[in-house]
Amino acid sequence: MKVLVAIKRVVDYNVKVRPKADGSDVELNNVKMSLNPFCEIAVEEAVRLKEAGTVTEIVAVSIGPKVVQEQLRTALALGADRAIMIETDSEAQPLGVAKLLKGVVDKESPDLIVMGKQSIDGDNNQTGQMLAALAGIGQGTFASNVEVSDGKVNVTREVDGGLQTVALALPAVVTTDLRLNEPRYASLPNIMKAKKKPLDILTPDDLGVDLNATVSTLKVEPPAEREAGIKVESVEELVEKLKNEAKVI
């Protein structure tokens, strides 16, 4: 059984992002970049399935400029067997990403596609759903538990009303939520081994995909500074301020 894991390079979650001086985008120069946290969970789940004997091969795939190889090597160090990089300097929006992944799915014919439910930069939460629609296969989003057996995958989903379990015929797309697992750290020996694992490079043209953007960013700016709170002496004073100053009642 082959698993395809899609990953993304993002600004490290410990870094406080700031906009460029001209407000055109987020400042990325001299900023620490890392594997998207939800993608780490996806890689970990694939590795656990392999350790359980369910999966025989894990293929990691990512999209972006050459530096994306860093995150693919991280995925290889965490347990992926080989990697595919779709090299492009163009901004890949969710639909474009889904089309590129669909091209990889057609080439690789994986039994299961696992990816994070969203990236912490765009927060779009769209790519997994779009990929499933383009490929015409089932999807289990916001997964907090995944069980594979008898040619199907049971996915426990975190939904507004609690938990929902769906049974999907393979192949299928699963997007991971925070409570699915706790990702491991890559050991030094595995980091060294990852340097020798195969990493293939494709381009959008190889997959017949046009990455022309359909959405453009007009301006990026930090949120307004929050004003300091005040203490009130009585319920009456609180009500008066909520009514006349905050104007929320």
Side-chain angles (χ1 to χ4, degrees):
M1 178 177 174
K2 181 192 294 186
V3 173
L4 182 72
V5 182
I7 64 172
K8 186 177 182 182
R9 175 185 172 92
V10 298
V11 175
D12 189 89
Y13 68 92
N14 288 311
V15 174
K16 184 177 181 180
V17 295
R18 63 185 189 277
K20 291 182 177 179
D22 60 3
S24 62
D25 206 342
V26 172
E27 182 60 68
L28 297 180
N29 289 332
N30 301 316
V31 172
K32 182 181 178 183
M33 306 294 285
S34 298
L35 186 60
N36 180 51
F38 289 103
C39 298
E40 281 189 285
I41 294 171
V43 174
E44 174 67 22
E45 191 63 21
V47 173
R48 291 189 184 191
L49 289 171
K50 185 176 181 182
E51 289 174 343
T54 305
V55 169
T56 56
E57 184 181 28
I58 301 171
V59 183
V61 58
S62 191
I63 301 160
K66 287 184 178 180
V67 286
V68 167
Q69 290 191 30
E70 296 175 16
Q71 281 63 50
L72 284 171
R73 293 295 178 191
T74 298
L76 292 170
L78 290 171
D81 298 295
R82 58 188 177 91
I84 298 172
M85 183 180 78
I86 304 172
E87 187 175 346
T88 176
D89 292 322
S90 301
E91 178 187 2
Q93 296 177 349
L95 182 57
V97 173
K99 289 180 178 179
L100 290 171
L101 293 178
K102 168 63 163 55
V104 175
V105 168
D106 290 342
K107 283 179 173 288
E108 294 290 330
S109 299
D111 300 286
L112 184 65
I113 303 102
V114 186
M115 57 177 55
K117 70 170 184 177
Q118 65 195 76
S119 61
I120 62 172
D121 51 5
D123 270 337
N124 292 303
N125 182 19
Q126 296 175 338
T127 305
Q129 294 89 327
M130 289 178 172
L131 172 59
L134 291 172
I137 57 180
Q139 57 179 287
T141 54
F142 317 123
S144 62
N145 188 59
V146 176
E147 296 178 358
V148 180
S149 64
D150 301 326
K152 66 179 181 180
V153 56
N154 291 331
V155 180
T156 301
R157 305 179 59 237
E158 297 196 357
V159 296
D160 291 340
L163 298 175
Q164 177 193 53
T165 301
V166 295
L168 308 171
L170 298 177
V173 174
V174 173
T175 69
T176 60
D177 214 328
L178 282 173
R179 279 157 290 280
L180 179 58
N181 60 51
E182 183 71 28
R184 70 193 68 191
Y185 292 100
S187 65
L188 181 57
N190 286 339
I191 291 173
M192 300 305 293
K193 291 176 183 177
K195 295 179 180 180
K196 297 181 179 180
K197 290 183 178 180
L199 191 157
D200 298 326
I201 299 176
L202 301 174
T203 66
D205 289 340
D206 293 334
L207 300 172
V209 176
D210 184 357
L211 286 182
N212 285 336
T214 55
V215 178
S216 59
T217 301
L218 300 181
K219 188 178 182 182
V220 176
E221 58 185 358
E225 293 288 337
R226 295 182 63 180
E227 296 182 3
I230 61 171
K231 292 183 178 180
V232 295
E233 299 297 329
S234 65
V235 173
E236 290 76 14
E237 184 182 358
L238 172 63
V239 172
E240 188 274 331
K241 289 187 178 295
L242 290 175
K243 184 175 181 180
N244 299 317
E245 294 185 17
K247 299 186 184 300
V248 295
I249 59 173

